[in-house]
Amino acid sequence: MYGVPNSEHRHLRRLTTDPINGHRALALYVRYIEVIVIPSLEELAAMNRPIKFFNEMKRIGFKVIAQVFLGSTKDSVLSSMVKYYTELFPGVLFLPFNIPGFAFHRALKARKKLVKMIQDELDERRATTSVEDRKKGMVDLLMEVEGDKGEKLEDEHIIDLLLLILFAGHETTAHTIMWALIYLNHHPEMLRKAKEEQEMIIKRRSSSQKGLTLSEIKQMEYLPKVIDESLRRSNFAFAIFRKERVSFVPGYTIPKGWKVVVWHRALHMDLNIYSNPKEFLPSRWENHRFKGRTFIPFGAGSRTCPGADLAKLEIAISLRYFLLNYKLEELNPKGPITYLPLPRPADDYLARIIKLP
Ligand code: HEM
């Protein structure tokens, strides 16, 4: 949706909000997140060797978003999607030379294959009379959606959206999961509290229940504060760009037509808003008193992140399974942190995941 003119953007946002972030959608996605996160963490722990934690979380995050998009699907479709996207991604960051041997050329070829694969998927689903609700993914919800005048999303829009969310929806969540675990690891009393909350949720449920429900996730009180504080302290996005009249920070009025860069990190570390801003303090989120435009990890206004609730869901589920079953052994705890473009350990957080007895 980047670069889409405002009127078309508004229309697309109206049609895509429910399939990405609506209650019915999120309830479906819990299962798909679990299906990827649980075995992936198990696999990492079983390797019993140092890993670059950030890179592994990105790999898991990518699979999660692909699974959420497709819903119940053949493993071969999911793995082709991962393969083509892995070939496409490096080309996005390279010079646009469409010449054999260049990354951009390989990326265009991979994009073609990815687009054909998704188009085949759309055609196949359309030919099937009806997909059971519990097997639906975001793609099915996007195909069902209708605007006020009964208009549907075009296939081209669905495919573009998929490419965008594959890009926007995996590194961002991986980054937040990593930082939440780093902070918890460095604050054992918070780690214990977060873990106890998850154990309490298990105690309250009936013995026949399998997997998490959305209502259990809504019962969590402490973990969302840990997530908000991680987003404040080490947010993924470093800036958003806006034109026209904005007044993100109380006391500033920006004339219409001016172009503005809003620097998240400065806002989230502003002493006038957050006391002891350098400290990791989930308790500062009691009563949600900093919400609104003093806390904008997902941006603000009409182009605010449409995946915010989905992202928080994925982060909460990943942290939950991690806290209940594993611990992190940091292998380079005093290693340097880089800050541009993102705050992250320079070694991509070298660690070992240890399964708890
Ligand atoms: C912790 C995780 C995430 C963070 C911190 C984050 C942050 C952001 C930010 C700051 C923006 C720009 C908003 C603005 O300009 O005001 C954005 C846009 C966007 N994000 Fe996210 N995001 C996250 C996860 C996700 C996920 C999981 C998805 C998948 C659905 C997603 C999809 C998008 C899309 C499609 C846009 C473009 C929206 C538009 O142009 O209308 N993001 N995100």
Side-chain angles (χ1 to χ4, degrees), residues 1-2 9 13 164-165 169 172 176 237 242 297-300 303 305-306:
M1 289 187 241
Y2 294 115
H9 180 262
R13 284 294 292 248
L164 178 58
I165 68 166
T172 42
T176 314
R242 286 296 180 274
F298 295 101
R303 289 187 186 246
C305 175

Side-chain angles (χ1 to χ4, degrees), residues 1-2 9 13 20 65 161 164-165 168-169 172-173 176 231 235-237 240 242 264 297-300 302-307 310-311 315:
M1 289 187 241
Y2 294 115
H9 180 262
R13 284 294 292 248
I20 299 179
I65 203 76
L161 184 66
L164 178 58
I165 68 166
T172 42
T173 46
T176 314
L231 285 166
N235 190 31
F236 184 87
I240 53 174
R242 286 296 180 274
H264 295 236
F298 295 101
S302 61
R303 289 187 186 246
T304 191
C305 175
L310 171 58
I315 296 164

Side-chain angles (χ1 to χ4, degrees), residues 201 205 209 211-220 320:
I201 290 174
R205 61 160 62 151
Q209 188 185 321
L212 260 177
T213 62
L214 198 53
S215 75
E216 282 178 324
I217 295 169
K218 288 188 173 156
Q219 284 166 29
M220 297 176 190
R320 170 194 165 79

Side-chain angles (χ1 to χ4, degrees), residues 231-250:
L231 285 166
R232 181 193 70 83
R233 192 60 192 79
S234 300
N235 190 31
F236 184 87
F238 67 93
I240 53 174
F241 305 90
R242 286 296 180 274
K243 199 174 159 190
E244 292 178 337
R245 186 193 169 94
V246 286
S247 52
F248 281 98
V249 184

Side-chain angles (χ1 to χ4, degrees), residues 62-63 66-67 70 73-89 109-121 162-163 166:
F62 185 81
K63 280 198 196 162
Q67 180 85 57
L70 293 168
T73 190
K74 294 183 260 284
D75 282 352
S76 59
V77 175
L78 196 65
S79 45
S80 302
M81 187 177 272
V82 174
K83 176 177 176 297
Y84 295 146
Y85 190 83
T86 314
E87 288 167 18
L88 188 162
F89 185 68
K109 276 174 54 181
R111 187 184 193 280
K112 233 185 199 165
K113 289 188 211 154
L114 191 54
V115 168
K116 168 150 188 346
M117 201 199 93
I118 307 162
Q119 186 63 61
D120 289 348
E121 205 44 41
L162 168 66
L163 296 177
L166 287 177

